[in-house]
Each structure stands twice: as C-alpha cells, then as structure tokens.
Amino acid sequence: MRVLLTGSAGFIGSAVAAELRSHGHEVVEFDAYLPSAHGDSSGVRRDVRDGYALDEALKGVDVVCHQAAVVGAGVDALDAPAFASHNDFGTAVLLAAMARAGCTRLVLASSMVVYGEGRYRGADEVTRSIADLRAGRFDPLSDAGEPLSWEVVPEDAPLRPRSFYAASKLAQEHFALAWTRTTGGSVVALRYHNVYGPNMPRDTPYSGVAAMFRSSLERGEPPRVFEDGQQMRDFVEVSDVARANRLAVESSVSGFEAVNVCSGRPVSILEVASALSSAVGGPQPVVTGEFRPGDVRHIVASPAKARDVLGFEAGVAPRDGLAGFATAPLRATTGHTRPTV
C-alpha cells in the first residue's frame, strides 16, 4: 500500500517508516522538522497545516498514518497555542485534505493521556488536591480518606484530559470520529502509553521521563524521581509501537476504533529509573517528593482490545527493553526550546 506518514522523521515516525517499508509498503514522508524536536535539520519541511502540500502528498495514497504532533505534558499554559495549532488544527487540515483526495483510511497517533487520572476501584472519578500533594499524600483518596487501588484502563473508560497536551489529543480523536461519520471513512486511534527506545529526544522537558532519566545519568547525576516513585505506568518499546501501526495500516477496521498500545506489564517510575541506573552502573535514583500539578498518579492499560482487533501483543518486556535503552542513541534537539505555534 501507499502510505502517507506524517511526522515521518520523528522518534516514533522514523520507526514506523522503517517497519512499513520492511513489509513492502510505499511510504510518502511528510514532516515539519520542528527545531524543538529535531534540532538543526536539513530535511524538507512540510507542515501538516499546509493543505496545498497535503493535496500533493496525498496523490495515490491508500491510507494515512498520522504521527505529526507537538508532544509532552507541556511546561505551562504558554504551550497551549502550540498544542492546539499543530495537533488539532493540523489534524483538521489533514482530514479535509483526505476528503478532497478521496482517501478514506486513517491511523491516528493518540495517547493514554486522554484517560486523565485513569481508573480506580470503587471510584467513578478521582482528583488529587494540591494540599494532599504538598503533604505527601500522592494516591487518590476515597471519601473515607483511604488510598484507592488502581485498575487497568480499557478503551471505553471515561476520557478526562488533565493537561493541554491531553486536551489536544482528545480533540484529535473527536475530529477523527466526526470525520468518519461525515465521510464514511475509517480511523484506528492508537492510544500510546509510555513509549521509549532509540532515537528519543534528549535534554528537553517535553521528552518522555525515560529520556530525562537517561540524560541525568549521562551527566553523572542520579535520576530525580517525583512524588514517592510508586506511580505505575506501562512502558512500551518503540519497535512494538511501530508494529502496532503497521498492523493498523493493514487492518480492515471500519468506523472509529480506539486501541491501547501498551506492553501489558506495568512498572513503577522508580523501577524505571533504577533499571536505567543499574544498566550503566550509574548513581541510584533520588526520590524527591516533588510533584507537578498536571501529572496523574497511576495510568495502566488493558492490552486486550489491541490483541482482539489488531492481533497486536508487545514483544519487548519493559525491564529488558529499558536495559537496552540505557545505552541506546538519543536524538539531539535544541534543548529546552518551547515549541512554536
């Protein structure tokens, strides 16, 4: 198949491009080469917000694999326009271009962040107050004041974004859902959990936490772990994420389907930092007790639907993958540059 791949030069996009080509697909690459993600790059800049460029790129395309986005939890409210412009407006421009081209299939890179605080036993919705966080009470509490236990999150869980980035990813899904109903097209929204692996951006607050820990170790510093380090996550290696995209491209899904892309093997943030430290013989992590108000406590996915709908199961266990990631090459960027609108 001929696949238009947006964000093709990015951390995940480049892995998806290689996976698609290795299985005989023709890849049309499309990337804006934002300095905040790519540093000083000589690539041909094609912005997903440019409908004219998309009209040319979509000629003869069978399916679009949409990875292009400004990523990360954001540093502060000043990041909101960049998320809305690149992620939401960009997706709207892409969907309109697909309608003009008669291309009816989309694979959308979404995120676990759409679930907000995740799922807890015995509670419909949870919040964490600043007062509790400052007091070191990091777990969401029941009405009786007892810590709640987390549960795995299925795709039909309520969607309650907690950050500007999360809001932009949910808006992407809503645009895509409306597009399927308007055009009769199909969308597979892949809700990535914590993706890590070779070629991750380094030294930026918009990177994933695994890359931040790596950067600390390379400076000879211990990884700094927020809260008490017991936050539970699902870390999925980028080669598995690329395979999930290929399976979605090759699928016959109709309408709109959202699917978790995860390992199915939850680990704590402290375990992640410790695994990286041990792999390189570096200083052990420091648990700081610090917190960020937009962070969620636990978010762990159910992998069942990905297996049933796409035939996808992760092949890399987090502890094995993180040991390899400890010495994998990282991508140079312009550092702490705020993404531009």
Side-chain angles (χ1 to χ4, degrees):
M1 282 186 284
R2 184 174 172 87
V3 182
L4 174 62
L5 176 61
T6 72
S8 57
F11 161 49
I12 295 175
S14 57
V16 173
E19 172 74 11
L20 290 171
R21 288 190 173 115
S22 72
H23 285 78
H25 298 291
E26 180 185 359
V27 177
V28 179
E29 297 200 25
F30 199 101
D31 202 294
Y33 288 95
L34 299 178
S36 55
H38 298 278
D40 297 325
S41 173
S42 58
V44 177
R45 297 175 186 266
R46 294 195 291 175
D47 196 314
V48 75
R49 297 169 297 179
D50 182 348
Y52 295 106
L54 285 169
D55 288 341
E56 182 65 27
L58 279 162
K59 291 178 179 177
V61 163
D62 300 296
V63 56
V64 174
C65 192
H66 184 30
Q67 307 295 314
V70 170
V71 301
V75 173
D76 54 43
L78 298 182
D79 288 322
F83 288 132
S85 177
H86 290 280
N87 300 358
D88 302 335
F89 180 65
T91 297
V93 173
L94 172 63
L95 293 171
M98 290 177 66
R100 288 194 297 272
C103 181
T104 60
R105 297 188 56 224
L106 175 68
V107 176
L108 173 66
S110 186
S111 172
M112 68 176 188
V113 295
V114 300
Y115 296 123
E117 286 285 356
R119 188 174 185 179
Y120 292 83
R121 191 170 301 123
D124 292 330
E125 184 174 7
V126 301
T127 58
R128 299 196 296 166
S129 71
I130 297 296
D132 281 338
L133 293 172
R134 286 174 177 162
R137 295 187 291 269
F138 299 120
D139 282 307
L141 302 176
S142 70
D143 292 339
E146 297 297 323
L148 293 166
S149 299
W150 60 268
E151 297 181 324
V152 294
V153 181
E155 288 82 355
D156 61 359
L159 305 180
R160 299 181 175 120
R162 292 289 193 269
S163 69
F164 291 113
Y165 172 62
S168 77
K169 298 308 287 186
L170 182 54
Q172 283 186 301
E173 287 198 17
H174 286 169
F175 273 111
L177 174 59
W179 177 83
T180 65
R181 292 174 174 171
T182 301
T183 65
S186 67
V187 174
V188 180
L190 300 176
R191 291 176 179 163
Y192 301 157
H193 285 251
N194 292 76
V195 186
Y196 70 96
N199 211 30
M200 278 188 86
R202 66 164 71 241
D203 297 325
T204 161
Y206 301 92
S207 295
V209 67
M212 294 181 191
F213 291 159
R214 266 285 311 270
S215 295
S216 295
L217 289 165
E218 289 176 355
R219 294 191 299 268
E221 301 170 358
R224 292 178 60 81
V225 179
F226 281 10
E227 301 187 15
D228 59 1
Q230 298 309 306
Q231 309 94 303
M232 297 301 294
R233 296 290 189 273
D234 190 304
F235 279 74
V236 57
E237 212 272 342
V238 69
S239 63
D240 280 328
V241 174
R243 184 162 52 85
N245 273 273
R246 189 217 358 126
L247 290 170
V249 163
E250 295 172 348
S251 73
S252 57
V253 169
S254 60
F256 180 95
E257 290 284 358
V259 176
N260 287 326
V261 176
C262 59
S263 72
R265 303 173 179 92
V267 294
S268 72
I269 294 296
L270 180 56
E271 287 179 288
V272 172
S274 298
L276 294 173
S277 295
S278 297
V280 298
Q284 287 301 299
V286 173
V287 177
T288 68
E290 298 172 326
F291 63 90
R292 295 183 299 186
D295 283 352
V296 300
R297 179 59 172 171
H298 306 297
I299 181 74
V300 176
S302 168
K305 188 175 179 181
R307 181 178 60 246
D308 295 342
V309 173
L310 300 179
F312 170 77
E313 291 185 279
V316 181
R319 288 173 180 81
D320 296 334
L322 288 165
F325 174 67
T327 55
L330 299 182
R331 176 193 299 267
T333 69
T334 54
H336 292 195
T337 301
R338 187 184 300 278
T340 54
V341 177

